[in-house]
Amino acid sequence: MAEEGYTLSYEPCAKRVRIEFDGAWLADSTRALILRETRLPPAYYIPAEDVRMDLLRKTDHHTHCPFKGNASYWSLEANGKTVENIAWAYEEPFPEAERIRGHLSFYRGKVSALYEGDDEVPFLAAAPGAHGNPLAAWLLKDAWKAGSSAELAEQFLLFLRGAGYPVERSTVIMPTLHPQIFATVLVWRADTPGIRVVHEPHDILTTPRFADSPFAQIIRGAGGVRRRIEEAGAKLDFPVVRDLHKEGATDYVAMPFRFSDGQINVMSMTSFAKGGFSAAQLGQIYEVMPMLARLFEVHAQRRVASGLLETYLGHNTGSRVLEGLVKLGDGEHIDAVIWFCDLRDSTPNSERMGREAYLQHLNRFLYCMAGSVIDSGGEVLRYIGDAALAIFPTAGGTAQACEKAIAAARLALERVRAVNQQHPEAPPLKFGIGLHLGSVTYGNIGIPQRLEFTVIGPAANEAARVESMTKDLGKLVLASGAFAAAYTGKLVSVGKHRLKGVTVEHELFTLPDN
């Protein structure tokens, strides 16, 4: 097959082909076929009769080729090890690939060795000469497999190293849309496994280490930075460059790359090799930066979406929405501790304090309440004016959920006392917390054009009714009988009471020291 420069050819291998993994032979054949395909390394297809199929387990993974067909995959289980999707086959190939029906091929990078005759076949990421720029071949073939920005950066830098680019260190900085985080920073060193991920807060903008760095200038649109550190009279105008000079670095490069919305990000690379980076190496990197930027942007957008959903909806709720629960009526029935709290004297305080002062007052209250819920393992679902609704699901055990709720209530009491002491000029925070245990519907309500993911049901309403009794009984925290029956700690009964809108009397409980 040869059309418009793309070729596909099969040829019998004249030599015996053997494939080895960890000392065991996976295949041994004198009937192998070699598939040569444009921009791909040669693929050896071996008849299934010559493959140790007893060591392979078929998986649910499939891929599609528009001229070979749908490929099925097998994982290897040998010597106590498992290698996922190590081999593939076209069980019902298209006519162009009929010759490889009944044959399997193995990923060269996943097996220990592949021999043609007595010679080991080297691992090639792409066919020799397939691209003038080897980085482009890698980006097209392998970069999409990365599951995160950190994985993408690490795999790219490791490929550079393997291809002879003398990069020893690298930092990638990408500003992000998040109320607490200014930028995600990826830090890589050749002598340290993995990548260190740092989420820098907005405060970093005021620190000298950022303001005096190349990153600050580049993000503001000043272009890139190149410093040939080993040269006599090298310009050492940044603290990071001076530090690298002391360590013996030879070359430092910081390059901007843009997202589709114009956002400027930065990748820096440092070399300790004599001569640093060649013009050809930097040219090849520069050439593929737009493509690399788009891949980084995909991961960044998902991270931003996840962060915003978590901030506005809560960790568990945001995850459910991101996983696809986005239609009206999507949800589930769960058992949970329902927390409802309310700020007292809101109306007179808002009139007396003024808008800005009251907003600070309200946010201090929500810090005490919602912050304590989150810090204790609960999920804040919504703010209703000066009230908050939260849950502690019982998936990990009912008693444990109750313990978390009580821990949150105690933490909230401590924080309120501290805030009242810190702000004697403001009215003291007065509030009530109601705790109830029951079944609720956890999902989307509203209309298709405007949804809210929350809990509904009688149990949620009863939690609010329990909270409303805190004012009548002069208690800061009240819990229902259902909650008290499941809680393993000590609570004190305050008697039976009729809740608003509920005909049956309910016994209510409070903390021993409340």
Side-chain angles (χ1 to χ4, degrees):
M1 172 184 172
E3 294 181 11
E4 297 184 2
Y6 198 95
T7 62
L8 189 73
S9 65
Y10 304 92
E11 61 186 58
C13 184
K15 298 180 180 180
R16 178 186 181 189
V17 174
R18 293 171 296 157
I19 298 176
E20 177 188 359
F21 176 81
D22 203 19
W25 293 108
L26 303 183
D28 189 342
S29 180
T30 58
R31 303 180 293 160
L33 293 173
I34 302 177
L35 168 59
R36 301 188 187 279
E37 186 172 351
T38 299
R39 286 189 286 276
L40 295 176
Y44 291 77
Y45 281 83
I46 300 169
E49 296 83 0
D50 298 337
V51 175
R52 288 286 306 276
M53 298 301 296
D54 58 305
L55 299 179
L56 301 179
R57 171 181 52 83
K58 195 171 186 180
T59 72
D60 294 330
H61 183 59
H62 293 87
T63 58
H64 175 73
C65 172
F67 43 81
K68 291 195 291 289
N70 295 318
S72 302
Y73 284 76
W74 284 260
S75 293
L76 171 68
E77 295 177 348
N79 299 332
K81 299 179 181 179
T82 299
V83 182
E84 295 293 336
N85 300 318
I86 193 173
W88 73 92
Y90 292 92
E91 297 181 283
E92 296 294 333
F94 293 160
E96 297 93 329
E98 183 61 33
R99 293 190 64 184
I100 56 173
R101 181 189 291 271
H103 291 61
L104 278 79
S105 189
F106 290 80
Y107 279 110
R108 178 65 184 87
K110 293 187 177 184
V111 300
S112 301
L114 188 153
Y115 294 93
E116 187 177 323
D118 295 328
D119 300 322
E120 183 175 354
V121 178
F123 169 63
L124 298 172
H131 287 276
N133 186 339
L135 304 185
W138 179 82
L139 284 167
L140 284 170
K141 185 175 183 294
D142 294 313
W144 64 271
K145 300 175 185 176
S148 66
S149 295
E151 285 185 28
L152 176 62
E154 181 181 20
Q155 291 172 15
F156 178 66
L157 292 162
L158 289 175
F159 182 81
L160 290 180
R161 290 273 297 177
Y165 296 69
V167 57
E168 295 286 340
R169 299 180 188 176
S170 178
T171 298
V172 178
I173 181 167
M174 294 178 286
T176 188
L177 181 63
H178 194 282
Q180 296 171 300
I181 300 170
F182 163 66
T184 297
V185 181
L186 310 176
V187 182
W188 177 86
R189 293 181 61 138
D191 58 359
T192 304
I195 272 204
R196 183 162 59 94
V197 181
V198 181
H199 299 295
E200 293 286 6
H202 289 275
D203 293 347
I204 192 179
L205 296 171
T206 62
T207 63
R209 73 183 178 97
F210 179 77
D212 298 336
S213 74
F215 297 121
Q217 293 189 12
I218 295 172
I219 286 175
R220 289 196 294 266
V225 170
R226 173 82 182 279
R227 298 291 181 265
R228 298 177 184 272
I229 304 173
E230 69 177 345
E231 294 182 351
K235 191 176 182 181
L236 308 178
D237 51 341
F238 295 103
V240 64
V241 176
R242 292 193 289 271
D243 291 342
L244 290 171
H245 180 262
K246 293 176 183 177
E247 293 183 54
T250 58
D251 205 351
Y252 176 82
V253 181
M255 297 178 291
F257 62 94
R258 293 177 181 269
F259 286 168
S260 58
D261 61 358
Q263 174 181 302
I264 301 175
N265 314 275
V266 188
M267 171 179 277
S268 73
M269 292 185 294
T270 301
S271 177
F272 284 76
K274 183 174 177 57
F277 302 105
S278 70
Q281 289 168 339
L282 291 180
Q284 289 170 340
I285 294 172
Y286 177 77
E287 185 179 33
V288 302
M289 285 304 292
M291 188 188 307
L292 187 64
R294 291 299 171 266
L295 294 172
F296 273 125
E297 185 172 7
V298 169
H299 295 297
Q301 287 180 338
R302 182 173 180 84
R303 187 173 60 250
V304 167
S306 179
L308 290 177
L309 284 171
E310 181 174 339
T311 299
Y312 282 90
L313 300 180
H315 177 71
N316 294 327
T317 305
S319 296
R320 281 172 163 79
V321 171
L322 200 59
E323 290 166 2
L325 293 179
V326 296
K327 301 192 303 297
L328 181 65
D330 279 349
E332 58 185 322
H333 300 292
I334 65 169
D335 292 328
V337 172
I338 302 99
W339 160 303
F340 192 88
C341 63
D342 191 19
L343 177 64
R344 302 277 182 252
D345 301 329
S346 292
T347 300
N349 282 338
S350 64
E351 294 174 350
R352 183 167 55 250
M353 298 176 69
R355 182 180 301 173
E356 294 299 326
Y358 177 72
L359 183 59
Q360 293 180 355
H361 184 70
L362 176 60
N363 283 334
R364 286 195 288 265
F365 167 70
L366 294 176
Y367 155 76
C368 296
M369 298 294 141
S372 297
V373 168
I374 292 172
D375 291 345
S376 301
E379 180 95 348
V380 177
L381 296 180
R382 60 186 305 204
Y383 301 116
I384 312 162
D386 55 7
L389 173 66
I391 58 171
F392 295 82
T394 62
T398 302
Q400 184 183 52
C402 293
E403 290 169 5
K404 290 180 179 179
I406 291 295
R410 292 191 181 279
L411 181 57
L413 295 176
E414 293 176 8
R415 289 181 173 179
V416 166
R417 283 193 289 268
V419 166
N420 285 338
Q421 291 174 0
Q422 293 166 3
H423 299 278
E425 79 288 353
L429 293 174
K430 298 179 182 179
F431 63 94
I433 299 174
L435 301 175
H436 184 43
L437 176 67
S439 297
V440 289
T441 300
Y442 182 39
N444 283 316
I445 63 170
I447 60 174
Q449 297 89 341
R450 178 61 176 89
L451 296 172
E452 180 175 346
F453 207 106
T454 187
V455 292
I456 58 173
N461 297 331
E462 288 171 13
R465 303 290 186 265
V466 170
E467 184 280 325
S468 67
M469 293 298 296
T470 60
K471 187 174 183 180
D472 296 341
L473 298 178
K475 301 295 181 181
L476 297 176
V477 181
L478 286 177
S480 68
F483 180 95
Y487 178 55
T488 56
K490 184 178 180 181
L491 295 174
V492 177
S493 174
V494 293
K496 291 187 176 181
H497 301 273
R498 181 166 294 172
L499 305 180
K500 183 178 179 180
V502 181
T503 57
V504 180
E505 288 190 336
H506 286 260
E507 187 174 11
L508 301 179
F509 297 80
T510 191
L511 298 174
D513 52 354
N514 182 17

